[in-house]
Amino acid sequence: MPDTINMKRVFSGIQPSGDLHLGNYVGALKGWVNQQNNRDNFFCIVDLHALTVKQNPDELRDRTLQTAALYIACGIDPIKSCVFIQSHVSVHAEVCWLLNCITPLGWLERMTQYKDKSLRTDSILAGLLDYPVLMAADIIIYDAHEVPVGEDQKQHVELARDIAQRFNRIYGETFVVPEPVISKTGARVMGLNDATIKMSKEHSKIRGHAVRLLDDPKEIERSFKRAVTDSYNEIRFSDDTERAGVNNLLGIYKVITGKTESQVEKDFENLKGYGSLKTIVAEVVIEELRPIQEKYARIMNDSGELHRILLDGGEKAAEISESKLSEVKYKMGLLNL
Ligand code: ATP
Ligand code: LTN
Protein backbone atom coordinates (compact mmCIF):
# COMPACT_ATOMS: atom_id res chain seq x y z
CA MET A 1 0.00 0.00 0.00
CA PRO A 2 1.43 3.44 -0.94
CA ASP A 3 1.94 6.04 1.81
CA THR A 4 -0.94 8.46 1.19
CA ILE A 5 -0.57 10.72 4.24
CA ASN A 6 0.76 13.77 2.37
CA MET A 7 -1.07 13.15 -0.86
CA LYS A 8 -4.06 15.07 -2.17
CA ARG A 9 -7.22 13.01 -2.08
CA VAL A 10 -9.14 12.43 -5.31
CA PHE A 11 -12.74 11.28 -5.70
CA SER A 12 -14.56 10.53 -8.94
CA GLY A 13 -17.19 8.23 -10.37
CA ILE A 14 -19.02 7.03 -13.46
CA GLN A 15 -22.66 5.92 -13.63
CA PRO A 16 -23.30 2.33 -14.73
CA SER A 17 -26.16 3.69 -16.82
CA GLY A 18 -24.97 2.36 -20.18
CA ASP A 19 -21.93 1.27 -22.15
CA LEU A 20 -18.80 3.26 -21.34
CA HIS A 21 -17.53 5.23 -24.32
CA LEU A 22 -14.55 7.20 -25.57
CA GLY A 23 -15.82 10.37 -23.84
CA ASN A 24 -15.82 8.61 -20.44
CA TYR A 25 -12.36 7.29 -21.19
CA VAL A 26 -10.58 10.47 -22.27
CA GLY A 27 -12.69 12.87 -20.17
CA ALA A 28 -12.36 10.87 -16.95
CA LEU A 29 -10.73 7.42 -16.75
CA LYS A 30 -7.50 8.14 -18.64
CA GLY A 31 -6.80 11.16 -16.42
CA TRP A 32 -7.53 9.15 -13.24
CA VAL A 33 -5.00 6.53 -14.33
CA ASN A 34 -2.32 9.12 -15.19
CA GLN A 35 -2.57 10.81 -11.77
CA GLN A 36 -3.02 7.68 -9.72
CA ASN A 37 0.57 7.33 -8.48
CA ASN A 38 0.75 10.59 -6.59
CA ARG A 39 -2.78 10.86 -5.22
CA ASP A 40 -4.92 9.14 -2.58
CA ASN A 41 -7.64 7.88 -4.89
CA PHE A 42 -11.29 6.91 -4.47
CA PHE A 43 -13.00 5.73 -7.65
CA CYS A 44 -16.63 4.82 -7.29
CA ILE A 45 -19.21 3.16 -9.54
CA VAL A 46 -22.12 5.48 -8.82
CA ASP A 47 -25.07 3.10 -9.12
CA LEU A 48 -27.39 5.24 -6.96
CA HIS A 49 -26.98 8.05 -9.48
CA ALA A 50 -27.90 5.66 -12.28
CA LEU A 51 -31.30 5.14 -10.60
CA THR A 52 -32.28 8.74 -11.37
CA VAL A 53 -33.36 7.47 -14.79
CA LYS A 54 -35.30 4.27 -15.44
CA GLN A 55 -33.12 1.13 -15.32
CA ASN A 56 -33.70 -2.55 -15.92
CA PRO A 57 -32.66 -4.08 -12.54
CA ASP A 58 -30.79 -7.11 -13.97
CA GLU A 59 -29.02 -4.98 -16.55
CA LEU A 60 -28.04 -2.43 -13.91
CA ARG A 61 -26.45 -5.15 -11.76
CA ASP A 62 -24.53 -6.52 -14.78
CA ARG A 63 -23.37 -3.09 -15.88
CA THR A 64 -22.22 -2.21 -12.37
CA LEU A 65 -19.80 -5.13 -12.42
CA GLN A 66 -18.77 -4.44 -16.02
CA THR A 67 -18.05 -0.80 -15.19
CA ALA A 68 -15.84 -1.87 -12.28
CA ALA A 69 -14.02 -4.32 -14.57
CA LEU A 70 -13.45 -1.52 -17.07
CA TYR A 71 -11.96 0.75 -14.39
CA ILE A 72 -9.36 -1.95 -13.71
CA ALA A 73 -8.88 -2.81 -17.39
CA CYS A 74 -8.20 0.86 -18.19
CA GLY A 75 -5.39 0.85 -15.63
CA ILE A 76 -6.88 1.69 -12.23
CA ASP A 77 -4.73 -0.28 -9.81
CA PRO A 78 -6.66 -1.46 -6.74
CA ILE A 79 -3.44 -1.34 -4.71
CA LYS A 80 -3.13 2.40 -5.35
CA SER A 81 -6.82 3.29 -5.58
CA CYS A 82 -9.89 2.41 -3.58
CA VAL A 83 -12.47 1.07 -6.06
CA PHE A 84 -15.99 0.51 -4.76
CA ILE A 85 -19.71 0.60 -5.45
CA GLN A 86 -21.62 3.62 -4.15
CA SER A 87 -24.64 1.66 -2.84
CA HIS A 88 -22.31 -0.57 -0.76
CA VAL A 89 -21.48 2.40 1.46
CA SER A 90 -24.76 3.63 2.96
CA VAL A 91 -23.09 6.79 4.29
CA HIS A 92 -23.48 8.38 0.82
CA ALA A 93 -27.29 8.25 0.90
CA GLU A 94 -27.43 9.26 4.55
CA VAL A 95 -25.21 12.31 4.09
CA CYS A 96 -27.21 13.22 1.01
CA TRP A 97 -30.26 13.60 3.27
CA LEU A 98 -28.35 15.72 5.79
CA LEU A 99 -27.03 17.98 3.00
CA ASN A 100 -30.54 18.24 1.50
CA CYS A 101 -31.49 19.99 4.70
CA ILE A 102 -29.02 22.85 4.08
CA THR A 103 -29.29 23.09 0.26
CA PRO A 104 -31.62 25.74 -1.18
CA LEU A 105 -33.96 24.37 -3.86
CA GLY A 106 -33.02 27.24 -6.19
CA TRP A 107 -29.42 25.97 -6.35
CA LEU A 108 -30.67 22.66 -7.75
CA GLU A 109 -33.21 24.14 -10.14
CA ARG A 110 -30.55 26.09 -11.96
CA MET A 111 -28.33 23.06 -12.77
CA THR A 112 -28.12 22.84 -16.57
CA GLN A 113 -28.05 19.03 -16.63
CA TYR A 114 -31.28 18.93 -14.61
CA LYS A 115 -32.89 21.49 -16.92
CA ASP A 116 -31.83 19.56 -20.06
CA LYS A 117 -32.79 16.13 -18.77
CA SER A 118 -36.12 17.26 -17.29
CA LEU A 119 -37.10 18.85 -20.62
CA ARG A 120 -36.70 15.44 -22.23
CA THR A 121 -38.97 13.54 -19.81
CA ASP A 122 -42.64 13.91 -18.96
CA SER A 123 -42.35 12.66 -15.40
CA ILE A 124 -39.57 14.39 -13.51
CA LEU A 125 -38.36 12.36 -10.54
CA ALA A 126 -37.23 13.99 -7.29
CA GLY A 127 -33.98 11.99 -7.59
CA LEU A 128 -33.07 13.79 -10.81
CA LEU A 129 -33.28 17.16 -9.08
CA ASP A 130 -31.42 15.89 -6.02
CA TYR A 131 -28.68 14.19 -8.07
CA PRO A 132 -26.05 16.92 -7.42
CA VAL A 133 -26.59 16.75 -3.64
CA LEU A 134 -25.80 13.02 -3.68
CA MET A 135 -22.77 13.85 -5.81
CA ALA A 136 -21.71 16.51 -3.26
CA ALA A 137 -22.08 13.91 -0.49
CA ASP A 138 -19.92 11.44 -2.49
CA ILE A 139 -17.12 13.95 -2.71
CA ILE A 140 -17.12 15.80 0.59
CA ILE A 141 -17.51 12.85 2.99
CA TYR A 142 -14.03 11.77 1.91
CA ASP A 143 -12.61 15.30 2.23
CA ALA A 144 -11.56 15.01 -1.42
CA HIS A 145 -9.39 17.89 -2.66
CA GLU A 146 -9.72 17.12 -6.36
CA VAL A 147 -12.53 15.83 -8.57
CA PRO A 148 -11.35 14.87 -12.08
CA VAL A 149 -14.34 14.99 -14.44
CA GLY A 150 -15.34 15.99 -17.97
CA GLU A 151 -16.48 19.55 -18.70
CA ASP A 152 -20.19 18.64 -18.31
CA GLN A 153 -19.74 17.92 -14.59
CA LYS A 154 -17.98 21.18 -13.67
CA GLN A 155 -21.19 22.86 -12.52
CA HIS A 156 -21.99 19.93 -10.21
CA VAL A 157 -18.54 20.04 -8.60
CA GLU A 158 -18.97 23.79 -8.11
CA LEU A 159 -22.26 23.09 -6.36
CA ALA A 160 -20.46 20.59 -4.10
CA ARG A 161 -18.06 23.42 -3.22
CA ASP A 162 -20.99 25.73 -2.39
CA ILE A 163 -22.61 23.06 -0.20
CA ALA A 164 -19.35 22.33 1.65
CA GLN A 165 -18.78 26.05 2.26
CA ARG A 166 -22.34 26.56 3.46
CA PHE A 167 -22.06 23.64 5.90
CA ASN A 168 -18.71 24.96 7.19
CA ARG A 169 -20.24 28.42 7.70
CA ILE A 170 -23.26 27.13 9.60
CA TYR A 171 -21.67 24.36 11.69
CA GLY A 172 -17.96 25.23 11.74
CA GLU A 173 -15.03 23.92 9.70
CA THR A 174 -15.94 20.33 8.70
CA PHE A 175 -15.39 19.64 5.01
CA VAL A 176 -12.52 20.22 2.60
CA VAL A 177 -13.79 22.42 -0.26
CA PRO A 178 -13.13 20.35 -3.43
CA GLU A 179 -11.76 21.59 -6.78
CA PRO A 180 -12.91 20.35 -10.19
CA VAL A 181 -10.02 19.06 -12.32
CA ILE A 182 -10.83 19.23 -16.02
CA SER A 183 -8.30 18.12 -18.61
CA LYS A 184 -7.42 20.59 -21.37
CA THR A 185 -8.10 18.13 -24.17
CA GLY A 186 -10.73 15.44 -24.26
CA ALA A 187 -12.89 17.20 -21.68
CA ARG A 188 -15.77 17.20 -24.15
CA VAL A 189 -15.77 14.52 -26.83
CA MET A 190 -18.66 15.12 -29.22
CA GLY A 191 -20.97 12.59 -30.87
CA LEU A 192 -19.55 11.16 -34.11
CA ASN A 193 -22.97 11.35 -35.77
CA ASP A 194 -23.66 14.86 -34.48
CA ALA A 195 -20.75 16.98 -33.30
CA THR A 196 -23.07 19.53 -31.66
CA ILE A 197 -23.94 17.19 -28.78
CA LYS A 198 -21.56 15.50 -26.35
CA MET A 199 -20.91 11.79 -26.73
CA SER A 200 -23.00 10.16 -24.00
CA LYS A 201 -24.20 6.78 -22.73
CA GLU A 202 -27.74 7.99 -23.08
CA HIS A 203 -27.32 8.21 -26.88
CA SER A 204 -24.81 5.39 -27.31
CA LYS A 205 -27.49 3.08 -28.72
CA ILE A 206 -27.93 5.40 -31.71
CA ARG A 207 -25.92 3.97 -34.60
CA GLY A 208 -22.65 5.83 -35.14
CA HIS A 209 -23.01 8.14 -32.12
CA ALA A 210 -20.38 6.72 -29.76
CA VAL A 211 -17.31 4.55 -29.78
CA ARG A 212 -17.90 2.16 -26.91
CA LEU A 213 -14.82 0.91 -25.08
CA LEU A 214 -15.80 -2.69 -25.82
CA ASP A 215 -16.68 -2.24 -29.51
CA ASP A 216 -14.72 -4.57 -31.78
CA PRO A 217 -12.25 -3.03 -34.27
CA LYS A 218 -14.62 -3.44 -37.23
CA GLU A 219 -17.39 -1.60 -35.39
CA ILE A 220 -14.99 1.19 -34.39
CA GLU A 221 -13.85 1.55 -37.98
CA ARG A 222 -17.47 1.73 -39.16
CA SER A 223 -18.37 4.39 -36.57
CA PHE A 224 -15.46 6.59 -37.64
CA LYS A 225 -16.22 6.05 -41.35
CA ARG A 226 -19.74 7.37 -40.75
CA ALA A 227 -18.56 10.36 -38.65
CA VAL A 228 -19.87 13.75 -39.75
CA THR A 229 -17.34 16.16 -41.32
CA ASP A 230 -17.82 19.21 -43.59
CA SER A 231 -17.13 20.39 -47.11
CA TYR A 232 -13.99 22.48 -46.40
CA ASN A 233 -11.65 19.55 -46.95
CA GLU A 234 -9.08 21.10 -44.66
CA ILE A 235 -7.55 19.14 -41.76
CA ARG A 236 -6.88 21.63 -38.96
CA PHE A 237 -8.23 22.53 -35.53
CA SER A 238 -10.98 25.13 -35.57
CA ASP A 239 -13.63 26.73 -33.31
CA ASP A 240 -16.00 27.11 -36.24
CA THR A 241 -19.21 25.20 -35.42
CA GLU A 242 -19.47 24.11 -39.06
CA ARG A 243 -16.15 22.30 -38.64
CA ALA A 244 -17.01 20.72 -35.27
CA GLY A 245 -16.91 17.17 -36.71
CA VAL A 246 -13.33 17.40 -38.00
CA ASN A 247 -12.28 19.27 -34.87
CA ASN A 248 -13.69 16.43 -32.78
CA LEU A 249 -11.76 13.80 -34.77
CA LEU A 250 -8.53 15.78 -34.38
CA GLY A 251 -9.22 16.24 -30.66
CA ILE A 252 -9.63 12.49 -30.20
CA TYR A 253 -6.39 11.83 -32.10
CA LYS A 254 -4.59 14.49 -30.04
CA VAL A 255 -5.64 13.15 -26.65
CA ILE A 256 -4.94 9.52 -27.52
CA THR A 257 -1.49 10.18 -29.04
CA GLY A 258 -0.55 12.85 -26.47
CA LYS A 259 0.68 15.15 -29.27
CA THR A 260 0.40 18.95 -29.43
CA GLU A 261 -2.01 20.68 -31.83
CA SER A 262 0.77 21.66 -34.20
CA GLN A 263 2.23 18.13 -34.20
CA VAL A 264 -1.23 16.77 -34.97
CA GLU A 265 -1.77 19.19 -37.85
CA LYS A 266 1.68 18.30 -39.17
CA ASP A 267 0.80 14.58 -39.10
CA PHE A 268 -2.12 15.30 -41.44
CA GLU A 269 -0.41 17.97 -43.58
CA ASN A 270 -0.06 15.94 -46.75
CA LEU A 271 -3.20 13.93 -46.37
CA LYS A 272 -5.83 14.04 -49.07
CA GLY A 273 -9.41 13.93 -47.92
CA TYR A 274 -11.32 13.20 -44.74
CA GLY A 275 -11.54 9.46 -45.55
CA SER A 276 -7.86 8.94 -44.62
CA LEU A 277 -8.23 11.14 -41.54
CA LYS A 278 -11.05 8.90 -40.32
CA THR A 279 -9.01 5.74 -40.99
CA ILE A 280 -5.99 7.03 -39.07
CA VAL A 281 -8.03 8.21 -36.08
CA ALA A 282 -9.87 4.87 -36.02
CA GLU A 283 -6.51 3.04 -36.02
CA VAL A 284 -5.10 4.91 -33.01
CA VAL A 285 -8.34 4.37 -31.09
CA ILE A 286 -8.40 0.65 -31.94
CA GLU A 287 -4.78 0.26 -30.77
CA GLU A 288 -5.47 2.21 -27.56
CA LEU A 289 -8.49 0.04 -26.75
CA ARG A 290 -7.00 -3.34 -27.74
CA PRO A 291 -5.08 -4.01 -24.47
CA ILE A 292 -8.00 -2.66 -22.44
CA GLN A 293 -10.40 -5.07 -24.13
CA GLU A 294 -8.01 -7.99 -23.59
CA LYS A 295 -7.58 -7.16 -19.91
CA TYR A 296 -11.34 -6.71 -19.52
CA ALA A 297 -11.96 -10.21 -20.90
CA ARG A 298 -9.44 -11.68 -18.43
CA ILE A 299 -11.03 -9.86 -15.47
CA MET A 300 -14.55 -10.95 -16.38
CA ASN A 301 -13.29 -14.50 -16.68
CA ASP A 302 -12.39 -14.55 -13.02
CA SER A 303 -15.02 -12.37 -11.39
CA GLY A 304 -14.08 -13.72 -7.93
CA GLU A 305 -11.03 -11.47 -7.92
CA LEU A 306 -13.14 -8.48 -8.97
CA HIS A 307 -15.67 -9.17 -6.20
CA ARG A 308 -12.82 -9.22 -3.69
CA ILE A 309 -11.48 -5.87 -4.92
CA LEU A 310 -14.94 -4.30 -4.62
CA LEU A 311 -15.62 -5.75 -1.16
CA ASP A 312 -12.24 -4.54 0.14
CA GLY A 313 -12.78 -1.13 -1.48
CA GLY A 314 -16.26 -0.84 0.06
CA GLU A 315 -14.91 -1.69 3.50
CA LYS A 316 -12.16 0.92 3.32
CA ALA A 317 -14.55 3.59 1.99
CA ALA A 318 -17.10 2.81 4.73
CA GLU A 319 -14.49 3.11 7.46
CA ILE A 320 -13.34 6.55 6.31
CA SER A 321 -16.76 7.98 5.53
CA GLU A 322 -18.40 6.69 8.75
CA SER A 323 -16.13 8.76 10.94
CA LYS A 324 -17.05 11.86 8.90
CA LEU A 325 -20.73 10.97 9.18
CA SER A 326 -20.54 10.84 13.00
CA GLU A 327 -18.96 14.29 13.07
CA VAL A 328 -21.61 15.73 10.73
CA LYS A 329 -24.53 14.19 12.66
CA TYR A 330 -23.18 15.49 15.96
CA LYS A 331 -22.66 19.00 14.61
CA MET A 332 -26.20 19.06 13.21
CA GLY A 333 -27.63 18.15 16.60
CA LEU A 334 -28.51 14.48 16.20
CA LEU A 335 -28.46 12.52 19.45
CA ASN A 336 -25.87 9.81 19.81
CA LEU A 337 -26.47 7.42 22.75
P1 ATP B 1 -25.23 9.55 -19.26
O1 ATP B 1 -25.47 9.60 -20.74
O2 ATP B 1 -25.77 8.34 -18.58
O3 ATP B 1 -25.51 10.86 -18.57
P2 ATP B 1 -22.40 10.00 -19.60
O4 ATP B 1 -21.88 9.27 -20.75
O5 ATP B 1 -22.60 11.47 -19.71
O6 ATP B 1 -23.69 9.29 -19.08
P3 ATP B 1 -21.36 9.94 -16.87
O7 ATP B 1 -21.44 8.70 -16.08
O8 ATP B 1 -22.40 10.99 -16.60
O9 ATP B 1 -21.40 9.64 -18.43
O10 ATP B 1 -19.93 10.56 -16.79
C1 ATP B 1 -18.77 9.90 -16.31
C2 ATP B 1 -17.56 10.79 -16.54
O11 ATP B 1 -17.30 10.88 -17.94
C3 ATP B 1 -17.76 12.23 -16.06
O12 ATP B 1 -16.54 12.71 -15.52
C4 ATP B 1 -18.12 12.97 -17.30
O13 ATP B 1 -17.80 14.35 -17.23
C5 ATP B 1 -17.25 12.26 -18.33
N1 ATP B 1 -17.82 12.37 -19.66
C6 ATP B 1 -19.02 11.91 -20.06
N2 ATP B 1 -19.22 12.17 -21.36
C7 ATP B 1 -18.09 12.81 -21.80
C8 ATP B 1 -17.69 13.33 -23.07
N3 ATP B 1 -18.46 13.23 -24.13
N4 ATP B 1 -16.48 13.92 -23.15
C9 ATP B 1 -15.67 14.01 -22.08
N5 ATP B 1 -16.00 13.54 -20.85
C10 ATP B 1 -17.19 12.94 -20.71
N1 LTN C 1 -22.51 12.94 -11.83
C1 LTN C 1 -21.31 12.34 -12.33
C2 LTN C 1 -21.02 11.01 -11.69
C3 LTN C 1 -20.67 11.23 -10.28
C4 LTN C 1 -19.47 11.80 -9.81
C5 LTN C 1 -19.59 11.80 -8.40
C6 LTN C 1 -18.34 12.33 -10.44
C7 LTN C 1 -21.43 10.91 -9.21
N2 LTN C 1 -20.78 11.24 -8.08
C8 LTN C 1 -18.60 12.35 -7.60
C9 LTN C 1 -17.35 12.86 -9.62
C10 LTN C 1 -17.49 12.87 -8.22
C11 LTN C 1 -21.39 12.15 -13.79
O1 LTN C 1 -20.40 12.01 -14.37
N3 LTN C 1 -22.52 12.13 -14.38
Side-chain angles (χ1 to χ4, degrees), residues 60-315:
L60 179 59
R61 266 184 287 274
D62 287 347
R63 277 201 310 265
T64 298
L65 211 56
Q66 289 158 3
T67 305
L70 269 172
Y71 280 18
I72 314 280
C74 286
I76 299 297
D77 178 349
I79 306 272
K80 297 176 187 154
S81 302
C82 176
V83 179
F84 68 103
I85 295 171
Q86 187 186 31
S87 65
H88 289 189
V89 182
S90 53
V91 176
H92 292 241
E94 198 172 347
V95 172
C96 175
W97 174 256
L98 299 173
L99 297 180
N100 274 334
C101 298
I102 64 149
T103 304
L105 190 57
W107 287 9
L108 305 181
E109 284 169 337
R110 67 177 158 72
M111 291 294 107
T112 52
Q113 193 180 77
Y114 168 72
K115 289 196 276 191
D116 285 354
K117 286 201 173 176
S118 56
L119 276 180
R120 284 185 272 128
T121 160
D122 21 84
S123 138
I124 304 166
L125 303 175
L128 190 65
L129 178 69
D130 205 32
Y131 177 117
V133 183
L134 178 60
M135 179 161 162
D138 294 343
I139 298 165
I140 68 179
I141 49 176
Y142 296 96
D143 277 334
H145 303 93
E146 294 181 350
V147 186
V149 283
E151 182 67 43
D152 62 309
Q153 292 300 316
K154 189 165 179 238
Q155 194 185 34
H156 288 161
V157 181
E158 279 161 358
L159 186 86
R161 286 175 63 82
D162 292 343
I163 294 176
Q165 279 165 337
R166 188 175 171 99
F167 191 99
N168 290 348
R169 231 182 359 259
I170 303 173
Y171 296 107
E173 213 49 36
T174 309
F175 295 117
V176 165
V177 179
E179 296 277 350
V181 177
I182 318 254
S183 67
K184 288 195 183 64
T185 11
R188 196 169 172 80
V189 177
M190 308 310 279
L192 294 186
N193 64 332
D194 177 355
T196 64
I197 58 165
K198 92 169 178 97
M199 189 178 282
S200 87
K201 292 195 226 89
E202 194 187 340
H203 298 118
S204 71
K205 290 226 157 52
I206 299 172
R207 211 161 141 248
H209 169 77
V211 171
R212 290 164 298 204
L213 301 188
L214 297 176
D215 280 347
D216 66 43
K218 282 266 157 298
E219 180 69 34
I220 297 176
E221 228 177 84
R222 269 198 297 274
S223 299
F224 277 107
K225 278 223 169 81
R226 277 197 292 259
V228 289
T229 48
D230 53 57
S231 51
Y232 292 92
N233 215 8
E234 199 183 4
I235 306 180
R236 63 172 177 82
F237 286 96
S238 153
D239 292 334
D240 186 344
T241 46
E242 282 181 38
R243 301 185 187 209
V246 171
N247 200 55
N248 192 34
L249 294 175
L250 291 173
I252 292 171
Y253 179 86
K254 174 172 184 260
V255 70
I256 301 276
T257 58
K259 294 185 177 180
T260 62
E261 280 196 9
S262 55
Q263 282 170 330
V264 171
E265 287 179 349
K266 213 160 182 339
D267 281 359
F268 293 110
E269 218 168 40
N270 299 317
L271 211 67
K272 291 271 166 293
Y274 291 149
S276 331
L277 166 69
K278 291 174 175 182
T279 309
I280 294 172
V281 179
E283 264 166 27
V284 298
V285 170
I286 289 168
E287 288 320 312
E288 176 86 0
L289 297 184
R290 194 186 300 281
I292 294 175
Q293 297 183 350
E294 287 167 1
K295 190 161 177 199
Y296 174 84
R298 285 199 299 276
I299 296 167
M300 290 306 272
N301 228 343
D302 173 16
S303 55
E305 171 68 4
L306 182 60
H307 289 194
R308 197 193 49 74
I309 291 170
L310 293 171
L311 289 171
D312 288 354
E315 231 173 80

